[in-house]
């Protein structure tokens, strides 16, 4: 991460803004009290206000003198767009707003929580987790069938050996108390981190929705453009790594069998003597509640992500409906203007005699469907039965030679021809094509004459008079061409 990137985060990160704010101590401790210790993801605004009143009352006198704002003022400050510590929103069909922590606040709470001195560092369990993940990636990304079969046979041998050992000795290799506590704490920490990271997925959907609405306000978008923008954003999110990961997670979580297994695992873990004793000695950490509520909290945050996802479709419907309302409103306005004109000029419409109610602009070409001519069968072409003349061998050869000379003529340089025209016009204001070729004889035949006509057609000061003709003799080719009368004129002069 380079200098500019670090500077950007320091200046714009809401997490750092929370940690550096004057209310950081009050805000973070209250958020722990209201959301974390009670394992709450969402709290009604009125209830959150009551919790803050209770929290402020239990502060010592020094803290009360420092934090003098009212509970309502604190919540409004933390939820405004400049701070963004908590999010206040309305659920569907609810009049009271709900509140939840933002993803940036979750990061701040996790960072502060990691500052706590731990009873022990679970290095063994973390390393084993890293090792197992590395082994799983290395083994399950193998394309060679022989290597994969060797890995599976090795796993089967280990299982067979463990089964044989249990059947022989009747002893099960069990983790010791330290290993159990290590994995339990890692489980709780990963569960909390997973729930907090759901805020990021939800924010992605909200950003897409906000971007589409902003683009609609800044630009005049058609219904098709709005639809394309929403579908492209939706497809892009579905195809992203984060979208695929969430879809796979949600499909796993909503399975009834998986939910039952998750609940059974939680109950079985909490019934383990080492875990039960550890939870009893740490009642303030609410470890048992965190694990038991994991399934319901995952379902809750997952449903919120889906609601944000469905909100894209809802915004699409609203934008299209708004577009239709604008169009309908314009039609009603035009109808009202017509009615107003009728009332203002009703005397004209009521008087007797012919009246012209419509006025068309000049030059309009009206093509009515009924004015089109009916279909007529095509005229059959008839050819006269005339004996075709056959050229002599000498004439045929001459024709072929003339055609070959025409095709094989060298390319004509228009800049060179334009230079000749400018040279002639330097001594005369106007010059005709026939006068020009007398001074500069035709060397390349018809192609050179066509180049002169092209130059005259492209320049506005030159004139081509199609009602008059002139003869252009091609000396080297020994033929004469009849072309329209061409007059070349200097710029600024008119014929």
């Amino acid at each position: 991460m380079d200098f500019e990137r670090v500077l950007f985060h320091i200046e714009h990160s809401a997490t750092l803004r929370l940690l550096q704010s004057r209310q950081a101590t009050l805000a973070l401790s209250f958020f722990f009290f209201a959301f974390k210790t009670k394992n709450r993801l969402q709290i009604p605004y009125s209830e959150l206000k009551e919790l803050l009143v209770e929290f402020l009352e239990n502060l010592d006198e020094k803290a009360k003198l420092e934090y003098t704002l009212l509970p309502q003022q604190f919540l409004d400050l933390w939820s405004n767009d400049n701070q963004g510590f908590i999010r206040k929103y309305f659920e569907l069909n609810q009049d009271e707003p709900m509140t939840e922590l933002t993803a940036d606040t979750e990061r701040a709470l996790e960072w502060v929580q990691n500052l706590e001195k731990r009873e022990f560092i679970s290095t063994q369990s973390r390393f084993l987790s890293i090792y197992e993940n590395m082994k799983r990636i290395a083994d399950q990304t193998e394309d060679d069938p022989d290597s994969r079969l060797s890995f599976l046979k090795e796993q089967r041998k280990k299982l067979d050996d463990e089964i044989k050992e249990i059947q022989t000795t009747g002893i099960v290799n069990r983790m010791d108390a330290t290993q159990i506590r290590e994995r339990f704490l890692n489980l709780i920490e990963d569960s909390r981190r997973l729930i907090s990271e759901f805020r990021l997925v939800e924010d992605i959907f909200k950003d897409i929705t906000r971007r589409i609405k902003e683009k609609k306000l800044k630009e005049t978008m058609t219904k098709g453009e709005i639809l394309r923008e929403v579908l492209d954003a939706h497809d892009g999110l579905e195809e992203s790594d984060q979208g695929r990961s969430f879809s796979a997670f949600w499909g796993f979580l909503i399975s009834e069998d998986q939910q039952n297994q998750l609940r059974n695992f939680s109950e079985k873990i909490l019934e383990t003597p080492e875990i039960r004793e550890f939870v009893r000695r740490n009642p303030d950490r609410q470890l048992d509640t965190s694990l038991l509520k994991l399934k319901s909290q995952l379902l809750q945050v997952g449903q919120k992500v889906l609601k944000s996802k469905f909100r894209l479709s809802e915004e699409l419907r609203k934008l299209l409906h708004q577009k239709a309302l604008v169009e309908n409103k314009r039609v009603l306005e035009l109808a009202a203007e017509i009615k107003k004109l009728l009332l203002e000029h009703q005397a004209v419409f009521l008087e007797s005699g012919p009246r012209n109610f419509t006025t068309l602009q000049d030059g309009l070409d009206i093509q009515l469907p009924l004015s089109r001519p009916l279909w007529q069968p095509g005229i059959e072409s008839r050819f006269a039965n005339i004996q075709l003349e056959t050229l002599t061998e000498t004439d045929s050869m001459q024709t072929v030679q003339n055609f070959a000379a025409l095709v094989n003529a060298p390319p004509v340089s228009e800049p060179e021809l334009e230079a000749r025209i400018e040279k002639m016009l330097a001594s005369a204001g106007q010059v005709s094509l026939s006068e020009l070729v007398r001074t500069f004889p035709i060397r390349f035949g018809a192609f050179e004459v066509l180049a002169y006509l092209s130059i005259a057609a492209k320049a506005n000061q030159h004139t081509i008079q199609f009602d008059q003709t002139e003869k252009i003799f091609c000396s080297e080719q020994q033929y004469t061409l009849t072309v329209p009368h061409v007059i070349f004129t200097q710029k600024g002069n008119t014929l």
Side-chain angles (χ1 to χ4, degrees):
M1 185 175 291
D2 55 16
F3 178 85
E4 287 75 14
R5 197 64 185 168
V6 173
L7 179 62
F8 174 82
H9 285 303
I10 291 177
E11 293 179 348
H12 298 90
S13 173
T15 302
L16 295 179
R17 189 163 56 248
L18 171 58
L19 295 173
Q20 294 173 349
S21 66
R22 295 181 57 185
Q23 296 88 22
T25 304
L26 174 64
L28 292 172
S29 58
F30 173 67
F31 294 154
F32 272 115
F33 167 73
F35 289 92
K36 298 304 179 181
T37 59
K38 300 180 182 299
N39 284 294
R40 302 282 296 276
L41 298 177
Q42 301 168 288
I43 300 178
Y45 184 78
S46 59
E47 182 180 348
L48 186 68
K49 182 179 177 181
E50 294 177 358
L51 290 174
L52 182 55
V53 171
E54 175 188 351
F55 188 81
L56 292 173
E57 290 177 352
N58 293 330
L59 294 177
D60 56 31
E61 295 299 326
K62 181 180 179 181
K64 289 180 179 179
L65 293 176
E66 182 177 358
Y67 303 111
T68 58
L69 295 179
L70 297 175
Q72 175 79 32
Q73 294 174 319
F74 277 121
L75 294 180
D76 291 341
L77 178 64
W78 295 338
S79 61
N80 64 30
D81 294 336
N82 294 329
Q83 301 296 334
F85 302 155
I86 58 177
R87 181 184 294 116
K88 184 168 63 173
Y89 61 96
F90 286 89
E91 291 280 6
L92 187 63
N93 299 325
Q94 288 189 0
D95 297 331
E96 183 181 6
M98 300 291 293
T99 58
E100 64 181 11
L101 299 178
T102 63
D104 297 292
T105 303
E106 292 280 5
R107 291 195 196 96
L109 294 176
E110 181 180 355
W111 184 80
V112 173
Q113 199 168 17
N114 289 334
L115 297 178
E116 286 286 307
K117 184 178 180 180
R118 302 184 183 182
E119 298 177 1
F120 57 87
I121 305 299
S122 54
T123 53
Q124 180 190 15
S125 63
R126 290 189 180 277
F127 173 74
L128 289 177
S129 177
I130 294 173
Y131 176 79
E132 290 297 329
N133 286 331
M134 293 174 63
K135 190 172 187 300
R136 186 178 296 110
I137 293 173
D139 292 332
Q140 297 189 3
T141 55
E142 180 62 60
D143 295 331
D144 183 24
D146 294 335
S147 300
R148 182 63 177 168
L149 286 174
S150 176
F151 166 74
L152 293 175
K153 289 178 181 179
E154 181 184 350
Q155 296 298 313
R156 184 173 65 181
K157 183 178 182 303
K158 289 182 179 180
L159 292 175
D160 291 339
D161 293 343
E162 186 176 356
I163 292 173
K164 184 177 180 180
E165 182 180 358
I166 294 175
Q167 290 175 343
T168 303
T169 64
I171 300 175
V172 178
N173 291 326
R174 186 173 182 271
M175 289 188 296
D176 58 33
T178 300
Q179 293 174 331
I180 293 174
R181 285 194 297 270
E182 281 185 2
R183 285 158 176 79
F184 177 68
L185 289 176
N186 289 339
L187 173 63
I188 297 298
E189 182 178 350
D190 291 341
S191 301
R192 289 173 176 171
R193 185 178 294 111
L194 175 63
I195 292 174
S196 64
E197 286 178 351
F198 268 91
R199 315 282 189 194
L200 299 176
V201 183
E202 184 181 0
D203 288 342
I204 291 176
F205 287 101
K206 290 181 178 180
D207 289 340
I208 294 175
T209 304
R210 181 171 57 253
R211 186 176 68 249
I212 294 173
K213 293 175 69 176
E214 289 177 353
K215 190 172 183 180
K216 172 62 176 62
L217 294 175
K218 294 179 180 178
E219 305 176 8
T220 302
M221 300 176 63
T222 63
K223 295 180 181 179
E225 291 172 340
I226 296 173
L227 181 61
R228 183 180 67 248
E229 184 74 18
V230 175
L231 294 181
D232 288 347
H234 183 272
D235 291 343
L237 186 60
E238 287 291 329
E239 295 299 323
S240 66
D241 293 338
Q242 199 163 21
R244 291 177 182 270
S245 178
F246 174 75
S247 299
F249 159 78
W250 186 247
F252 177 86
L253 189 60
I254 61 176
S255 170
E256 184 177 355
D257 293 338
Q258 303 297 341
Q259 291 185 32
N260 292 333
Q261 288 184 8
L262 191 62
R263 183 177 62 255
N264 294 334
F265 289 157
S266 301
E267 294 175 351
K268 185 175 181 179
I269 289 173
L270 292 174
E271 290 173 359
T272 304
E274 292 85 353
I275 300 297
R276 189 167 58 247
E277 176 63 19
F278 184 71
V279 171
R280 187 188 64 81
R281 290 190 288 107
N282 298 272
D284 57 322
R285 302 177 66 175
Q286 300 286 328
L287 298 175
D288 54 344
T289 307
S290 299
L291 194 59
L292 290 174
K293 286 187 175 183
L294 176 61
K295 184 199 72 173
S296 61
Q297 289 183 342
L298 288 176
L299 286 172
Q300 186 176 354
V301 294
Q303 287 173 349
K304 285 184 84 314
V305 173
L306 287 180
K307 286 181 180 179
S308 299
K309 188 176 180 180
F310 294 150
R311 196 171 293 123
L312 280 173
S313 301
E314 180 66 17
E315 291 297 330
L316 170 63
R317 186 192 64 80
K318 288 181 179 179
L319 290 175
L320 296 180
H321 182 63
Q322 182 182 8
K323 184 76 174 177
L325 288 178
V326 172
E327 294 175 352
N328 294 338
K329 182 180 179 181
R330 180 56 182 162
V331 172
L332 293 176
E333 290 176 351
L334 292 175
E337 291 178 6
I338 294 173
K339 292 178 181 179
K340 183 179 179 181
L341 290 173
L342 290 174
L343 291 175
E344 292 177 352
H345 302 86
Q346 60 179 338
V348 177
F349 297 114
L350 295 178
E351 64 184 16
S352 59
R355 295 177 299 276
N356 183 15
F357 290 100
T358 59
T359 301
L360 299 179
Q361 297 178 2
D362 295 337
L364 291 179
D365 186 14
I366 306 299
Q367 298 289 344
L368 299 177
L370 295 179
S371 66
R372 297 178 181 176
L374 299 177
W375 176 83
Q376 296 288 343
I379 300 176
E380 183 178 356
S381 300
R382 297 179 181 179
F383 298 92
N385 188 12
I386 302 175
Q387 183 68 29
L388 297 177
E389 296 181 1
T390 304
L391 293 175
T392 63
E393 183 177 353
T394 303
D395 293 336
S396 298
M397 291 299 297
Q398 183 64 37
T399 303
V400 172
Q401 291 176 1
N402 293 338
F403 181 72
L406 187 66
V407 172
N408 297 325
V412 180
S413 174
E414 283 196 7
E416 182 179 350
L417 301 184
E418 290 175 350
R420 296 178 183 175
I421 297 172
E422 293 296 332
K423 186 175 181 179
M424 291 290 293
L425 293 176
S427 57
Q430 296 177 349
V431 63
S432 66
L433 179 58
S434 58
E435 295 172 344
L436 181 65
V437 299
R438 282 197 294 268
T439 305
F440 301 99
I442 299 296
R443 297 171 51 200
F444 304 118
F447 286 111
E448 188 171 348
V449 176
L450 288 175
Y452 278 122
L453 293 174
S454 175
I455 294 172
K458 289 188 292 186
N460 295 329
Q461 70 269 23
H462 306 320
T463 305
I464 301 178
Q465 298 177 348
F466 292 96
D467 55 344
Q468 301 178 26
T469 59
E470 54 185 337
K471 302 292 184 178
I472 305 298
F473 179 66
C474 303
S475 57
E476 294 191 13
Q477 291 76 19
Q478 293 299 311
Y479 57 72
T480 302
L481 298 176
T482 302
V483 298
H485 186 58
V486 179
I487 299 177
F488 297 103
T489 308
Q490 287 183 346
K491 289 185 178 181
N493 295 338
T494 57
L495 186 61

